[in-house]
Amino acid sequence: MRNMQMSLAPRRAVAALAALLLAGSVAACGNSDTGSEGGGDNEKIVMGFSQVGAESGWRTANSTSVKEAAAEAGIELKFDDAQQKQENQIKAIRNYIQQKVDVIAFSPVVESGWDTVLKEAKDAGIPVILTDRAVDSADKSLYKTFLGSDFVKEGRLSGEWLVENSKDATGDVNIVELQGTTGSAPANDRKEGFAAAIAADPKLKVIASQSGDFTRAGGKQVMEQFLKAHPKIDVLFAHNDDMGLGALEAITAAGKTPGKDITIITIDAVKDGMQALADGKFNFIAECSPLLGPQLMELAKKVHAGEEVPARVETEETTFTQEQAKAALPTRKY
Ligand code: GZL
């Protein structure tokens, strides 16, 4: 029996040693499952980015800024175009969680409906950065920071310009409004800011307001309806240049002169919009800068390093009249 015991002993020792080695190797594997490849100091940060879509010149410029800045910053960028559908953004964010990226950044196509997926990211220990548009989640711990414009201010500046430039008007000034994507932060906030500003002058009346979904086609289609329904339109306020540019086609097709028969105010200041302003077809543009890439990458590095970042980072922007557009166009970056 003893011999048996003796003969078993070395085997048991070998088995114990093998078990120890195996446990060690599993632990090592277990670490690699937690994405240790992204854990080393000198490893590339991996960012999962969910973009709204490619609906406007602004969006195209924004995507270019994000991609170029990621390359410049040495950040590995996983990029998804949601084609303006919230379900596609939620799917992309879930994929990034599965892939255990180091940070998730996205521009939410609409304000509501994000709490569940943002909580999944938080529970997975992946920090989220909002860029461009905001969410209406009450739980501010679901994201680290929001980098983007003040859309209410953009709407207010647009309305203030109109108040200032309508002083000599006799009788009502009929305004039609092309809203951005229904439920989106820019559409909600720009509408709010503009309405608050024009309340200063009771002559200024919004007689029609409808979404053109931030696209040229949408702007043209809705403006055609406005022109059919309203014989006297004095002002068009479009939530972005692209809908204003689409509306130009409808206005000229109706035999009216844009910039003269109908005053046109837009937001963004992309190159095509600035050209229309310089050509006298638009009358005023409030800028909304899409060049968020460099700031986004700096924030991602800080968040990944566990550094504190401000809850809100507001982009700097200005406004343009026709004369200012002529001066700015030659050096315009987007
Ligand atoms: C604003 C951005 C808006 C632009 C539109 O930050 O979300 O979406 O104003 C774009 O041109 O489609």
Side-chain angles (χ1 to χ4, degrees), residues 52 55-59 84 107 132-133 148-149 151 154 181 186 190 213-215 239-242 267-268 270 288-289 292:
V52 165
E55 74 282 0
S56 62
W58 190 99
R59 188 65 54 198
Q84 285 193 280
S107 171
D132 170 29
R133 297 184 183 179
S149 303
F151 302 132
E154 294 166 350
T181 301
R190 287 169 180 170
D213 209 19
F214 281 131
T215 65
H239 289 186
N240 80 330
D241 293 347
D242 283 66
I267 297 176
D268 276 352
V270 295
C288 176
S289 175
L292 304 176

Side-chain angles (χ1 to χ4, degrees), residues 90-108:
I90 290 172
K91 205 180 297 173
I93 291 169
R94 287 193 166 126
N95 284 338
Y96 296 144
I97 293 170
Q98 287 303 317
Q99 295 167 45
K100 296 183 173 56
V101 297
D102 297 305
V103 60
I104 291 171
F106 76 116
S107 171

Side-chain angles (χ1 to χ4, degrees), residues 90-165:
I90 290 172
K91 205 180 297 173
I93 291 169
R94 287 193 166 126
N95 284 338
Y96 296 144
I97 293 170
Q98 287 303 317
Q99 295 167 45
K100 296 183 173 56
V101 297
D102 297 305
V103 60
I104 291 171
F106 76 116
S107 171
V109 61
V110 291
E111 284 190 293
S112 306
W114 301 99
D115 286 35
T116 302
V117 74
L118 290 179
K119 188 147 181 354
E120 290 167 20
K122 183 179 178 183
D123 292 347
I126 301 176
V128 173
I129 296 175
L130 297 183
T131 169
D132 170 29
R133 297 184 183 179
V135 299
D136 61 8
S137 302
D139 182 356
K140 302 300 181 198
S141 75
L142 293 175
Y143 53 90
K144 291 294 181 186
T145 182
F146 164 41
L147 162 65
S149 303
D150 178 344
F151 302 132
V152 174
K153 181 178 167 188
E154 294 166 350
R156 177 172 53 75
L157 291 171
S158 302
E160 287 172 352
W161 180 89
L162 184 58
V163 169
E164 186 56 34
N165 288 271

Side-chain angles (χ1 to χ4, degrees), residues 2-334:
R2 191 170 176 280
N3 289 341
M4 280 292 284
Q5 278 171 350
M6 281 301 286
S7 63
L8 273 176
R11 275 196 219 147
R12 281 204 179 112
V14 168
L17 180 61
L20 268 176
L21 289 172
L22 182 62
S25 62
V26 166
C29 284
N31 285 338
S32 67
D33 281 352
T34 56
S36 61
E37 65 277 7
D41 292 344
N42 58 357
E43 293 292 326
K44 268 197 169 195
I45 295 173
V46 179
M47 173 187 281
F49 188 93
S50 168
Q51 180 59 293
V52 165
E55 74 282 0
S56 62
W58 190 99
R59 188 65 54 198
T60 307
N62 178 246
S63 293
T64 301
S65 176
V66 168
K67 290 173 182 173
E68 288 179 353
E72 182 68 27
I75 287 177
E76 183 186 331
L77 183 71
K78 295 177 183 288
F79 186 93
D80 177 82
D81 172 338
Q83 295 169 343
Q84 285 193 280
K85 290 182 174 56
Q86 180 173 30
E87 62 266 25
N88 290 345
Q89 289 199 287
I90 290 172
K91 205 180 297 173
I93 291 169
R94 287 193 166 126
N95 284 338
Y96 296 144
I97 293 170
Q98 287 303 317
Q99 295 167 45
K100 296 183 173 56
V101 297
D102 297 305
V103 60
I104 291 171
F106 76 116
S107 171
V109 61
V110 291
E111 284 190 293
S112 306
W114 301 99
D115 286 35
T116 302
V117 74
L118 290 179
K119 188 147 181 354
E120 290 167 20
K122 183 179 178 183
D123 292 347
I126 301 176
V128 173
I129 296 175
L130 297 183
T131 169
D132 170 29
R133 297 184 183 179
V135 299
D136 61 8
S137 302
D139 182 356
K140 302 300 181 198
S141 75
L142 293 175
Y143 53 90
K144 291 294 181 186
T145 182
F146 164 41
L147 162 65
S149 303
D150 178 344
F151 302 132
V152 174
K153 181 178 167 188
E154 294 166 350
R156 177 172 53 75
L157 291 171
S158 302
E160 287 172 352
W161 180 89
L162 184 58
V163 169
E164 186 56 34
N165 288 271
S166 300
K167 285 192 174 4
D168 303 336
T170 52
D172 286 351
V173 177
N174 288 346
I175 305 163
V176 292
E177 180 179 26
L178 285 169
Q179 294 183 40
T181 301
T182 303
S184 69
N188 293 338
D189 293 354
R190 287 169 180 170
K191 180 172 175 43
E192 176 192 329
F194 182 78
I198 65 168
D201 182 346
K203 294 196 308 300
L204 302 177
K205 294 185 185 316
V206 176
I207 59 171
S209 182
Q210 192 178 325
S211 175
D213 209 19
F214 281 131
T215 65
R216 291 194 188 201
K220 179 182 178 188
Q221 188 184 4
V222 175
M223 192 67 201
E224 284 166 350
Q225 293 164 20
F226 286 162
L227 287 160
K228 285 194 185 87
H230 303 283
K232 182 182 181 291
I233 295 175
D234 302 300
V235 178
L236 162 63
F237 170 50
H239 289 186
N240 80 330
D241 293 347
D242 283 66
M243 292 190 292
L245 292 164
L248 286 183
E249 292 180 48
I251 291 167
T252 43
K256 295 175 184 283
T257 307
K260 290 190 174 23
D261 297 334
I262 296 180
T263 296
I264 299 179
I265 301 164
T266 67
I267 297 176
D268 276 352
V270 295
K271 196 159 277 183
D272 289 349
M274 290 288 274
Q275 191 60 62
L277 183 60
D279 295 345
K281 295 173 184 168
F282 285 177
N283 299 85
F284 181 80
I285 301 183
E287 184 184 37
C288 176
S289 175
L291 305 181
L292 304 176
Q295 283 176 290
L296 173 60
M297 298 310 152
E298 284 316 302
L299 286 165
K301 285 181 177 175
K302 285 187 163 65
V303 162
H304 181 62
E307 294 173 25
E308 279 300 305
V309 293
R312 178 77 172 91
V313 180
E314 189 178 317
T315 34
E316 309 231 327
E317 44 211 32
T318 182
T319 59
F320 295 95
T321 62
Q322 290 172 347
E323 287 316 305
Q324 288 164 339
K326 286 174 190 162
L329 257 175
T331 56
R332 199 87 186 130
K333 284 190 194 155
Y334 65 92

